[in-house]
Amino acid sequence: MIDGFLALYIFMLAAFTGYEIIARVPVILHTPLMSGSNFVHGIVLVGAMIALGHAQTPFGIAAGFLGVLLGAGNAAGGYVVTERMLEMFKSSKPAGREAK
């Protein structure tokens, strides 16, 4: 029982800390931050694949499959959002023309 409370405490502390850190990030730094979080999502995806590979019960297989599915969607979506954000920073002027 104490392990469950400890896990809940760690989860709540991580959620609060993450919210406080992200809320204070300036707008200009959101793109690099998103790229870093995509890296973490890739690690989560690899972990979910390993968990799925070691699953032996139907519940473990279903949970592992769900983890792989959600992790892949999260990582792919993060890269799409990052690409769209980077498009906003590109110049609308044709290449090779300089302002005088």
Side-chain angles (χ1 to χ4, degrees):
M1 184 69 168
I2 211 71
D3 291 336
F5 284 122
L6 182 61
L8 181 62
Y9 173 74
I10 291 171
F11 175 76
M12 289 173 38
L13 185 61
F16 176 75
T17 304
Y19 176 78
E20 288 299 317
I21 289 172
I22 298 300
R24 296 168 197 255
V25 172
V27 174
I28 194 72
L29 294 178
H30 278 206
T31 300
L33 184 65
M34 181 65 79
S35 296
S37 68
N38 287 339
F39 172 73
V40 173
H41 295 157
I43 293 172
V44 169
L45 179 59
V46 169
M49 286 189 229
I50 291 171
L52 177 60
H54 287 98
Q56 296 184 4
T57 64
F59 176 74
I61 293 170
F65 178 76
L66 184 63
V68 169
L69 186 69
L70 293 175
N74 200 2
Y79 284 111
V80 169
V81 168
T82 300
E83 185 64 30
R84 287 182 64 193
M85 290 173 72
L86 290 173
E87 288 290 324
M88 294 187 328
F89 291 107
K90 288 187 177 176
S91 175
S92 60
K93 296 178 185 176
R97 293 194 153 189
E98 296 180 17
K100 293 183 179 181

